[in-house]
Amino acid sequence: MAVLSIMYGVICLLMAEWVHIRLARTLRQAGAPFELQHLPLFSIMLLSLYAILRLMVLSPSVSLCLKFGIIYSATGSLFLLFLFFIKILHYQTYIFLVNWLRSD
């Protein structure tokens, strides 16, 4: 059973990477920010690992690996969103300062 769940985990991660490559290419052509191009990979990984963890009865070591994968993908998603919001905040601050300096 553990071998089967590991195979499902690997298949889900490979599928997430394949979807990520397709989405990143499409988003890059559309001009989306870098952070938003890579957010789907972590989201798909998070959802698939969580589904595997909840739907299958696993050994404690495999369950621990899946939990670390969930923590990794959640942290990656939060970090990318943090970078995106910092970039937006920096851009808006720059616009505010340029308009303020022009008004004088």
Side-chain angles (χ1 to χ4, degrees), residues 4-16 49 52:
L4 187 61
S5 61
I6 291 172
M7 285 176 35
Y8 283 145
V10 169
I11 289 170
C12 286
L13 293 176
L14 289 175
M15 195 65 161
L49 290 174
I52 290 171

Side-chain angles (χ1 to χ4, degrees), residues 4-104:
L4 187 61
S5 61
I6 291 172
M7 285 176 35
Y8 283 145
V10 169
I11 289 170
C12 286
L13 293 176
L14 289 175
M15 195 65 161
E17 187 65 33
W18 181 76
V19 169
H20 164 254
I21 290 170
R22 300 283 183 200
L23 276 173
R25 185 178 303 144
T26 304
L27 290 172
R28 191 177 323 115
Q29 290 173 351
F34 174 78
E35 295 85 6
L36 296 182
Q37 292 176 16
H38 297 284
L39 192 61
L41 171 69
F42 288 108
S43 302
I44 293 169
M45 281 176 47
L46 178 70
L47 294 175
S48 63
L49 290 174
Y50 184 75
I52 290 171
L53 185 66
R54 290 293 167 219
L55 294 176
M56 294 190 166
V57 178
L58 305 168
S59 66
S61 60
V62 174
S63 177
L64 184 68
C65 290
L66 287 177
K67 287 177 185 176
F68 278 126
I70 290 171
I71 291 171
Y72 169 76
S73 57
T75 305
S77 296
L78 289 175
F79 186 68
L80 285 175
L81 287 173
F82 175 73
L83 288 176
F84 177 71
F85 289 128
I86 290 295
K87 185 166 72 171
I88 295 294
L89 179 69
H90 176 266
Y91 181 69
Q92 294 299 322
T93 305
Y94 175 76
I95 290 173
F96 173 75
L97 288 174
V98 167
N99 287 336
W100 180 61
L101 289 173
R102 275 191 196 165
S103 68
D104 290 342

